Amino acid sequence: MTRVDQLRSRLLGFRPTDTLWGWLGPLFFAVVGGILRFWSLDRPHQLVFDETYYVKQGVSMLDYGVEMRVPDTIKKPDELFTNGTPDVFGSQGDLVVHPPVGKWVIAVGEQLFGQTSSWGWRFSVCVLGTLSILMVGRAARRLFGSSLLGTIAAFLVAFEGHHFVQSRTGLLDLIVMFWALAAFCALLIDRDRTRAILAEKVAGMSVRELATGQGPWLGWRPWRWVAGVSLGLCAGTKWSGLFFLVAFGLMTVFWDLGARRAAGVRHWFSGAVVRDGLYAAVVMCGTALATYLVSWVGWFRSSGGYDRQWAVQNPGQGVQWMPPALRSLWQYHQEIYTFHVNLHDNHPYKTNPWSWVVQGRPTSFFYEGPKQGQDGCVVAQCSKAITSIGTVSVWWLGAVAIVVLLFYWLFHRDWRAGAVLAGLAGGYLPWFGLEERTIYSFYTVAFEPWIIFGVVFVLGLVLGRRTDSWRRREVGLYVVGAYCLLTLALFAFFWPIYTAQVIPQSQWSLRMWFPSWV
């Protein structure tokens, strides 16, 4: 084994070589999950939950370039919208509290299939949900060095109810998840790529150079640029995406610290900070900021967007050194911030983040109670519901997995556990500082991939190491197989209330396991 091979082994660990199976497994479940998600995607032909905002705003983006306000004189805009009159907007810009990217994503489907098509309302989000199945599977394979674990990860996403419901609904949170996941995948690729480069460069250095220097520069690192753009799109969908930028930025710098130290660089800390960290901050933050600003192009080009003329109308106010357009945008952002920090409505589905992972209070997206003879109901009272209940076998084990991950990160310095915790820190942890605000459990889809990775981490421990005996591995396979079958059975059981099937109300009640689910 050459010095390069030794360093690659130390820096990269075991890398699977079964390339074909590494793709086929996740791709198979992405196709299956996609078919399930696209099946009757246009049902119901009604605006479901917060689609009343984002689907209509997507149409406004297509027609006006910005979100326009629905005038108060239109008393039932949703009925007009769903019955073939999508232009329910007035002439004033609307104070919209989320940036434009998610609305533009939804608008793509509306452009392709028509503004009156409920298939079009949900198409783009469903595409991203389907792609994310493949991405989670491939990321898990790279993260855990196992095609089997990658396939299991894709399976779990495909049959996870919360992800399924959000993939079929024109909301923003799955879009946040998609861009955060894309950034994470890009950084995983960057980690492997640059560690291979580091191994080659360090192998060519003398002992004296290693003992006195900071180590080599690792190049332009294009995948970090991809991550920066993805995180800009993430924050451009919802501001909560900014926390992923912080978490993943620190994560990738810590990876560089560990790489230089493992490679034998004497001044590994200063080398990682000077040669990697500062450049990473400029690349990731710079590209994220630029991407975020570009996402407002429709607002910049408009004359009637909310606050677009604020600087002209208030010439002596605001940050004077900024150009008028940016001054107006800054004022708009201050108003958005004020809205968010003062949002304390007593909504019936308002929840505390402590209850999210254990599915304490799932959000009901849609409910109707047809009676006999209505909408195919054959009993006295039926239910037709869409409830974002997560597949509990995934989420309950995910709650246990968080503790396991913390243990392996703190006491075994397992980088994989740290990477998963970084995703949870970016997507979940910030909400604990906003417990008094009106927040909902469906936000969990934004960090669901890292719950899946945590579950797969635990399942990997159950499967055992490659060096374990065949009997030990066989028992692990039986346990993991039984767990996957349980997950599939639970998904099938809750299918009627994921897809607005008309069922007897008693069958709906059978699926409401806890009073807090009603």
Side-chain angles (χ1 to χ4, degrees):
M1 182 180 289
T2 65
R3 177 165 167 74
V4 173
D5 292 335
Q6 291 175 338
L7 284 170
R8 283 176 62 91
S9 178
R10 186 190 307 169
L11 292 171
L12 292 169
F14 175 80
R15 311 311 301 163
T17 57
D18 50 346
T19 304
L20 180 62
W21 288 110
W23 277 101
L24 285 181
L27 189 59
F28 172 78
F29 286 112
V31 171
V32 172
I35 292 171
L36 292 173
R37 282 157 175 76
F38 278 102
W39 175 83
S40 292
L41 182 63
D42 55 347
R43 185 174 184 272
H45 183 69
Q46 294 166 257
L47 293 175
V48 172
F49 196 54
D50 280 354
E51 283 186 340
T52 186
Y53 304 114
Y54 310 127
V55 167
K56 293 206 298 279
Q57 288 167 3
V59 169
S60 181
M61 302 295 268
L62 290 175
D63 291 347
Y64 301 96
V66 291
E67 304 94 331
M68 302 300 285
R69 187 171 177 271
V70 178
D72 295 335
T73 53
I74 299 180
K75 300 304 180 183
K76 296 182 178 180
D78 285 6
E79 288 187 16
L80 282 174
F81 189 90
T82 55
N83 288 318
T85 306
D87 190 354
V88 294
F89 310 102
S91 58
Q92 293 182 325
D94 196 9
L95 171 57
V96 176
V97 296
H98 295 302
V101 170
K103 276 71 72 67
W104 280 120
V105 169
I106 292 170
V108 171
E110 295 170 328
Q111 177 66 28
L112 290 174
F113 296 97
Q115 299 177 0
T116 60
S117 166
S118 47
W119 179 281
W121 302 343
R122 298 157 187 153
F123 174 79
S124 296
V125 177
C126 198
V127 168
L128 298 189
T130 301
L131 287 175
S132 68
I133 299 172
L134 175 62
M135 292 163 65
V136 167
R138 291 292 298 169
R141 179 182 185 269
R142 188 178 290 271
L143 189 62
F144 302 114
S146 167
S147 294
L148 175 60
L149 291 180
T151 300
I152 291 173
F155 168 88
L156 293 177
V157 182
F159 298 108
E160 199 292 299
H162 189 48
H163 184 279
F164 177 81
V165 169
Q166 296 244 23
S167 296
R168 292 168 52 86
T169 313
L171 304 184
L172 301 182
D173 299 272
L174 188 134
I175 303 173
V176 172
M177 178 273 287
F178 178 84
W179 295 121
L181 176 61
F184 185 74
C185 291
L187 292 174
L188 282 176
I189 296 171
D190 172 76
R191 181 184 186 274
D192 286 356
R193 180 179 177 274
T194 53
R195 285 187 169 226
I197 292 172
L198 181 64
E200 293 179 5
K201 290 192 172 184
V202 167
M205 298 174 71
S206 66
V207 175
R208 183 174 181 276
E209 287 176 314
L210 285 175
T212 58
Q214 296 179 327
W217 184 57
L218 299 178
W220 293 103
R221 304 181 72 161
W223 286 105
R224 271 188 174 166
W225 293 76
V226 173
V229 171
S230 297
L231 290 167
L233 293 169
C234 186
T237 303
K238 275 191 171 184
W239 280 2
S240 55
L242 287 170
F243 296 112
F244 283 111
L245 175 61
V246 175
F248 291 163
L250 292 173
M251 177 188 73
T252 190
V253 171
F254 279 124
W255 285 348
D256 287 345
L257 287 169
R260 288 181 182 270
R261 185 177 185 182
V265 176
R266 174 66 182 275
H267 299 293
W268 53 270
F269 185 85
S270 61
V273 172
V274 173
R275 302 202 174 192
D276 298 318
L278 297 177
Y279 177 64
V282 171
V283 166
M284 292 183 64
C285 294
T287 53
L289 176 60
T291 302
Y292 180 83
L293 288 174
V294 169
S295 75
W296 286 85
V297 64
W299 183 88
F300 282 120
R301 294 181 62 185
S302 76
S303 59
Y306 186 85
D307 267 349
R308 180 64 185 86
Q309 305 303 324
W310 183 87
V312 175
Q313 296 165 357
N314 300 272
Q317 298 182 37
V319 184
Q320 293 298 303
W321 58 266
M322 284 185 178
L326 288 179
R327 235 179 343 128
S328 296
L329 185 63
W330 181 253
Q331 171 64 22
Y332 189 179
H333 278 56
Q334 288 180 308
E335 293 186 51
I336 293 173
Y337 177 78
T338 300
F339 171 87
H340 283 305
V341 298
N342 293 306
L343 184 60
H344 299 293
D345 295 341
N346 190 26
H347 194 281
Y349 286 98
K350 175 182 176 180
T351 54
N352 188 292
W354 288 102
S355 70
W356 288 359
V357 174
V358 294
Q359 298 299 295
R361 178 65 167 161
T363 308
S364 174
F365 282 5
F366 173 82
Y367 185 88
E368 289 181 348
K371 299 186 182 300
Q372 190 170 25
Q374 298 176 339
D375 207 4
C377 179
V378 296
V379 296
Q381 183 66 56
C382 290
S383 292
K384 181 180 179 182
I386 299 175
T387 307
S388 190
I389 296 176
T391 303
V392 292
S393 58
V394 173
W395 288 93
W396 290 352
L397 183 56
V400 175
I402 293 174
V403 179
V404 175
L405 291 166
L406 284 167
F407 175 82
Y408 273 84
W409 181 54
L410 292 173
F411 298 105
H412 292 268
R413 299 201 308 184
D414 192 312
W415 76 271
R416 304 167 304 168
V420 179
L421 288 170
L424 292 172
Y428 188 25
L429 189 61
W431 295 108
F432 287 94
L434 300 168
E435 293 179 66
E436 299 303 317
R437 187 179 176 274
T438 305
I439 52 179
Y440 308 93
S441 63
F442 69 87
Y443 294 173
T444 54
V445 77
F447 59 85
E448 179 168 340
W450 294 274
I451 292 290
I452 297 291
F453 294 142
V455 169
V456 172
F457 184 92
V458 172
L459 295 180
L461 297 176
V462 173
L463 284 172
R465 297 183 297 269
R466 287 182 298 276
T467 56
D468 289 341
S469 67
W470 167 245
R471 179 58 182 167
R472 165 68 181 81
R473 298 275 284 175
E474 185 179 29
V475 171
L477 281 169
Y478 281 130
V479 172
V480 172
Y483 173 80
C484 291
L485 287 175
L486 173 64
T487 298
L488 182 60
L490 286 169
F491 176 80
F493 177 71
F494 285 101
W495 169 270
I497 63 170
Y498 291 153
T499 56
Q501 302 298 304
V502 178
I503 57 175
Q505 192 176 58
S506 59
Q507 288 295 313
W508 173 82
S509 298
L510 186 64
R511 289 160 174 81
M512 297 294 103
W513 288 358
F514 305 101
S516 63
W517 284 16
V518 178

